[in-house]
Amino acid sequence: KAGVTQTPRYLIKTRGQQVTLSCSPISGHRSVSWYQQTPGQGLQFLFEYFSETQRNKGNFPGRFSGRQFSNSRSEMNVSTLELGDSALYLCASSLSTGGLHYEQYFGPGTRLTVT
Amino acid sequence: GDSVTQMEGPVTLSEEAFLTINCTYTATGYPSLFWYVQYPGEGLQLLLKATKADDKGSNKGFEATYRKETTSFHLEKGSVQVSDSAVYFCALSDQGAQKLVFGQGTRLTINP
């Protein structure tokens, strides 16, 4: 079974631009979560989607948004990029339907550099 | 809110040495606890988990016991190998949620 895939793997953007990152979960997984990893703040939860609905959200500004499609693929968008948005963005999928924590399977991440 | 504090690194050991990476947590409910490992250029992989007090998670020679009285989940391995060199993250999830709260990570280097 194919793992979680994320595209693109690397991205360079300029301050003020916007960016869209994509995540394809493991087949059959309906929950997709996004995390930001930086040297200073470590790994921080952005949001989780299940059946096209945002089920949980972390403490990030409204510039960070996401969505999930009917095939469970997910995208996250960052508008008006700032230098501090440079990070590794990780996507994780799971079989979770709610009520129990299911193992999350992580993708390799998208490395975003903002200049 | 929930938080995880883990031993700061980097940690450097010789092959076959004993490993301990400390992890303590703060949570309002009864969290599940995890150790994840990240190899260079890769995403996170679940190493082991424990879902209730006194549970012991184990995998690939690594072990960690869920200690509610000390709110700890220390990672141990009796004899490390060069291939264990990676960054290790302690994490929790609260009450069945998918959201993971991570510690800062501990970089482990094993020298031959």
Side-chain angles (χ1 to χ4, degrees):
Chain A
K1 189 182 272 192
V4 177
T5 58
Q6 294 187 244
T7 56
R9 292 292 309 276
Y10 302 90
L11 206 47
I12 300 175
K13 289 287 188 178
T14 305
R15 266 181 304 177
Q17 289 185 316
Q18 75 166 13
V19 67
T20 299
L21 312 182
S22 181
C23 171
S24 292
I26 292 171
S27 177
H29 287 192
R30 293 163 62 191
S31 168
V32 174
S33 299
W34 288 89
Y35 295 84
Q36 181 196 62
Q37 185 176 19
T38 60
Q41 299 300 315
L43 277 155
Q44 294 184 286
F45 173 78
L46 279 155
F47 27 65
E48 183 216 354
Y49 285 87
F50 176 77
S51 289
E52 303 178 65
T53 300
Q54 188 179 83
R55 192 159 65 173
N56 207 343
K57 187 177 190 303
N59 294 325
F60 279 81
R63 299 186 297 107
F64 292 81
S65 63
R67 59 178 175 168
Q68 187 180 34
F69 302 94
S70 58
N71 62 358
S72 294
R73 190 177 70 85
S74 177
E75 290 181 346
M76 66 163 282
N77 183 276
V78 188
S79 62
T80 320
L81 284 166
E82 301 177 359
L83 295 179
D85 297 333
S86 295
L88 180 67
Y89 290 89
L90 293 165
C91 166
S93 75
S94 81
L95 283 167
S96 169
T97 56
L100 290 174
H101 180 96
Y102 281 77
E103 178 177 349
Q104 294 193 43
Y105 294 82
F106 283 80
T110 294
R111 172 77 60 187
L112 172 65
T113 302
V114 182
T115 62
Chain B
D2 297 346
S3 66
V4 176
T5 302
Q6 67 180 96
M7 174 176 173
E8 291 206 18
V11 174
T12 302
L13 296 171
S14 298
E15 205 165 22
E16 299 183 5
F18 184 85
L19 168 71
T20 300
I21 301 178
N22 291 337
C23 171
T24 57
Y25 68 90
T26 302
T28 51
Y30 300 93
S32 296
L33 302 175
F34 309 86
W35 278 100
Y36 279 84
V37 59
Q38 187 175 35
Y39 297 101
E42 298 183 14
L44 299 172
Q45 297 175 26
L46 179 65
L47 182 58
L48 53 83
K49 67 179 180 182
T51 57
K52 60 183 188 298
D54 300 324
D55 267 3
K56 177 186 281 189
S58 61
N59 186 26
K60 299 180 181 179
F62 291 89
E63 292 182 340
T65 301
Y66 190 143
R67 300 287 188 200
K68 193 171 188 304
E69 63 276 15
T70 54
T71 61
S72 64
F73 193 56
H74 305 321
L75 182 68
E76 296 182 336
K77 187 176 185 183
S79 176
V80 292
Q81 306 300 313
V82 172
S83 58
D84 294 327
S85 298
V87 181
Y88 291 80
F89 293 91
C90 185
L92 68 80
S93 74
D94 201 7
Q95 303 286 59
Q98 286 305 104
K99 172 185 174 181
L100 288 165
V101 176
F102 287 92
Q104 284 296 100
T106 301
R107 182 175 299 277
L108 174 66
T109 301
I110 307 300
N111 293 322

